[in-house]
Amino acid sequence: MTGRITIDLFTTLDGVAQAPGGPDEDPSNGFPYGGWQAPLPDDVVGRAVGDGIAAMDALVLGRRTYDIFASYWPKHVDNPIGRRFAEIPKYVASRSPLELTWEGTTQLKGDAAAAVAALRDTHDDIHVIGSIDFVQTLLAAGAYDELKLWVHPVVLGRGKKVFPDGAAPANLRLIEPPLTGGTVVQLRYAPDGLPRTGEMEPPSDD
């Protein structure tokens, strides 16, 4: 078995992926815009998010996102998303001891990127949702097969970004046309090696 690792992130036009869901999600560094996603619904993209969750067979989270999900979704198994999360194995990456209150959760220890990559041997469709701090570790290590960005039409000017200053150089390849319902744009990328350089040719007169 060789599974696929998909990273799912809600992001702004300027690449901020911190605390899209609510004010208390991640207020670190004095971030004042928690919940910026809420006023920007998109039914088409929302259905695509639901379809992706229905198809996954493993969920990977960083510590902060795990705490949020574990306090909410076990109480909402009547919801299709909550029901699917209850059915599948869940993994949380953390170096600190954890009390795993969410049934079906396993802690990933040691080298987080290597531990996630190893899940390809036991699962077909692995998704990493949110968890921007943890995601940056995976991106730097190239431990993913797809980066799925849900780009919202808002600029915040501060906050944790998908690719902050000093991010590892990388090429990405768009693997399908963008999807939108008119508000949010879904972009699906696969890693494509290191950046290449060249010189632009002037426009032809023909």
Side-chain angles (χ1 to χ4, degrees):
M1 177 183 292
T2 302
R4 285 177 49 81
I5 299 168
T6 299
I7 296 171
D8 299 280
L9 289 175
F10 299 117
T11 179
T12 66
L13 285 174
D14 56 337
V16 175
Q18 182 173 352
D24 299 325
E25 181 177 341
D26 180 4
S28 60
N29 302 317
F31 185 65
Y33 299 116
W36 54 262
Q37 180 191 6
L40 299 166
D42 188 307
D43 290 342
V44 171
V45 171
R47 286 194 294 272
V49 171
D51 290 344
I53 290 172
M56 70 173 66
D57 67 348
L59 173 64
V60 181
L61 303 168
R63 170 63 185 273
R64 187 187 297 272
T65 306
Y66 170 78
D67 288 343
I68 294 169
F69 277 35
S71 67
Y72 181 84
W73 286 114
K75 303 172 185 176
H76 295 84
V77 293
D78 54 332
N79 179 290
I81 294 176
R83 185 162 54 250
R84 186 56 182 158
F85 285 162
E87 294 169 346
I88 62 176
K90 295 161 284 290
Y91 300 89
V92 55
S94 177
R95 296 185 180 91
S96 303
L98 294 177
E99 183 179 356
L100 300 177
T101 58
W102 197 0
E103 185 177 355
T105 301
T106 300
Q107 183 175 355
L108 299 175
K109 300 179 181 180
D111 185 328
V116 172
L119 295 176
R120 292 188 180 107
D121 296 332
T122 52
H123 299 288
D124 288 318
D125 194 357
I126 306 142
H127 282 247
V128 183
I129 297 180
S131 309
I132 184 60
D133 295 318
F134 173 52
V135 161
Q136 288 171 352
T137 299
L138 300 182
L139 293 173
Y144 69 103
D145 300 290
E146 181 179 334
L147 173 63
K148 188 180 295 183
L149 301 177
W150 313 90
V151 183
H152 294 65
V154 60
V155 175
L156 300 179
R158 62 183 294 188
K160 298 175 183 177
K161 293 188 175 184
V162 180
F163 294 105
D165 290 345
N171 269 3
L172 299 176
R173 172 175 52 87
L174 194 66
I175 58 177
E176 73 171 17
L179 171 69
T180 182
T183 301
V184 182
V185 179
Q186 173 193 277
L187 299 172
R188 297 179 61 197
Y189 290 101
D192 194 28
L194 295 174
R196 299 175 287 276
T197 62
E199 187 170 331
M200 296 295 293
E201 295 291 337
S204 171
D205 293 333
D206 295 341

